[in-house]
Amino acid sequence: MQEAAKVVSNGCSRCQCALEPDDLRCPVCGLATAPARRDAAAAQVVIVRCQACRASVSYSAEAQAPKCGYCGSVMRVETPEDPVEQAQAFLPFSVSPDEARKALGRFLARKSWFRPADLAARATLDAMKPVWWPAWVFNAKALVSWTADSDAGAGRAAWAPHSGQTSYVFRDVVVSASRGLTAKECEALTADYALSMAAESPRGPAEASIERFDTARSGARKLIVEAIEKEASGRVAKAEVPGSKSRKLKVAVMLSGLETVRYALPAYTLAYRYKQRLYRVVVHGQKAETILGKAPYSGWRICAAVLAGALAVGVAIAVAVLATR
């Protein structure tokens, strides 16, 4: 992680793991930390929360009647009493609003048998919102213990038990903290971000909003540990378990170091309308070629495909019957 993003305090006095300013306990060994004075200004953050998808973004007086940047629903203003986690590092928008519109045009023009033939011609852009969505990016060291069955050394049996321990280093692993984007959307967007471009302040379209971190620190650490376990399982299955086939892989992770930074990652959410129905598309804020979304299906084309399949099956059955006579 770049130096500008590091805002951790002194390390734990017992295990030397990096601590964030508001940590009450060490995330690795659980040792209670010295009480720190909270910044009174941190409690005065004003946010607006969507009443439909529950995403929250920073409040802007110019917004007047703010609507959710993800689903377009009405948002209500909140002034939380507890300090709100805020982004420490912002990735800049490299894709302009005009480029995002062109990306939507390419998405609508994609050829597919099941899409309406007039989709690109009749679809109209209803809204476009640039937004920074929140994510934790972490580095960690971990001792991973694992057990699994594999076909190596099984002899006459189908499976043989195996186990082992290995140390892994995890760097720049991204864990979504967004409520407005789905887990699959965030996972697809993550690979194309240039984390080295992060800065301490946002840089992008003037109308861009910032989704806030809603999850408490304890909940965030739980998500991060789950991400480490998932990543470790993939590495163990690929490099540690012997044999060509395996099953019942289980891993136990013991952290020996954890450093997290709260990032704000850029994206565009676009809503387009086709035959009075709205559909959402997400365009990557740094790579316009990465675009995710849904498109309507052509009912008659689906029926035609089903009928063609049924006809093919019927012909095959008839041929088989005639062949047996």
Side-chain angles (χ1 to χ4, degrees), residues 13 17 71 81 96 123 138 140 250 257 275 304-305 321:
S13 60
C17 175
C71 69
E81 295 182 1
S96 68
F138 69 84
K250 295 182 179 179
K275 292 185 177 180
V321 170

Side-chain angles (χ1 to χ4, degrees), residues 39 78 119 224:
D39 185 357
E78 292 181 358
L119 177 60
I224 289 171

Side-chain angles (χ1 to χ4, degrees), residues 267-288:
Y268 289 90
T269 60
L270 301 92
Y272 71 91
R273 191 178 296 275
Y274 176 77
K275 292 185 177 180
Q276 305 306 312
R277 288 194 62 182
L278 279 174
Y279 300 87
R280 189 180 80 166
V281 166
V282 180
V283 176
H284 200 286
Q286 292 193 321
K287 186 179 179 181

Side-chain angles (χ1 to χ4, degrees), residues 33 38 45 47 98 100 115 124 161 165 170 202 206 251 259 284 299 306:
T33 63
R38 290 184 179 272
V45 174
I47 62 175
D98 186 55
R115 284 189 177 191
T124 57
Q165 279 189 337
F170 302 88
V251 300
E259 177 185 347
H284 200 286
V306 171

Side-chain angles (χ1 to χ4, degrees), residues 15-71:
C15 71
Q16 302 305 309
C17 175
L19 300 175
E20 295 188 40
D22 290 329
D23 279 341
L24 300 180
R25 290 185 178 274
C26 172
V28 172
C29 70
L31 180 67
T33 63
R37 293 185 60 186
R38 290 184 179 272
D39 185 357
Q44 302 305 313
V45 174
V46 177
I47 62 175
V48 287
R49 185 181 302 281
C50 178
Q51 298 183 57
C53 70
R54 304 302 296 165
S56 63
V57 299
S58 55
Y59 175 75
S60 171
E62 293 79 13
Q64 295 182 354
K67 291 188 177 181
C68 179
Y70 294 107
C71 69

Side-chain angles (χ1 to χ4, degrees), residues 83-304:
V84 176
E85 301 261 14
Q86 301 191 47
Q88 301 160 291
F90 293 82
L91 291 192
F93 276 84
S94 302
V95 175
S96 68
D98 186 55
E99 290 171 327
R101 293 187 190 95
K102 291 179 180 178
L104 174 62
R106 292 193 298 271
F107 174 81
L108 296 175
R110 288 177 183 173
K111 300 300 182 181
S112 172
W113 169 258
F114 296 107
R115 284 189 177 191
D118 62 349
L119 177 60
R122 295 189 59 180
T124 57
L125 179 62
D126 193 80
M128 181 175 70
K129 299 286 186 181
V131 63
W132 277 281
W133 59 275
W136 294 280
V137 178
F138 69 84
N139 294 335
K141 296 178 182 179
L143 177 66
V144 179
S145 302
W146 60 269
T147 62
D149 293 341
S150 85
D151 58 351
R156 294 183 179 180
W159 305 99
H162 298 272
S163 63
Q165 279 189 337
T166 185
S167 296
Y168 286 138
V169 175
F170 302 88
R171 296 200 178 278
D172 292 339
V173 180
V174 179
V175 177
S176 169
S178 176
R179 290 196 180 190
L181 297 177
T182 66
K184 287 186 177 180
E185 287 173 334
C186 293
E187 185 176 351
L189 292 170
T190 294
D192 294 319
Y193 285 117
L195 298 181
S196 60
M197 297 176 64
E200 294 181 353
S201 57
R203 191 170 78 249
E207 68 274 19
S209 57
I210 304 171
E211 185 184 356
R212 294 296 179 180
F213 286 78
D214 270 344
T215 306
R217 191 177 300 267
S218 58
R221 292 274 163 74
K222 180 180 178 182
L223 291 175
I224 289 171
V225 170
E226 289 175 354
I228 292 175
E229 291 176 345
K230 181 179 179 180
E231 179 76 13
S233 294
R235 293 190 188 184
V236 167
K238 185 176 181 180
E240 304 295 335
V241 181
S244 58
K245 296 187 297 182
S246 64
R247 67 172 188 173
K248 296 183 179 180
L249 173 63
K250 295 182 179 179
V251 300
V253 175
M254 184 173 69
L255 295 178
S256 58
L258 177 64
E259 177 185 347
T260 61
V261 176
R262 296 183 295 277
Y263 274 71
L265 306 177
Y268 289 90
T269 60
L270 301 92
Y272 71 91
R273 191 178 296 275
Y274 176 77
K275 292 185 177 180
Q276 305 306 312
R277 288 194 62 182
L278 279 174
Y279 300 87
R280 189 180 80 166
V281 166
V282 180
V283 176
H284 200 286
Q286 292 193 321
K287 186 179 179 181
E289 293 77 15
T290 302
I291 179 169
L292 318 164
K294 294 183 178 180
Y297 293 103
S298 172
W300 76 266
R301 291 193 175 197
I302 293 176
C303 291

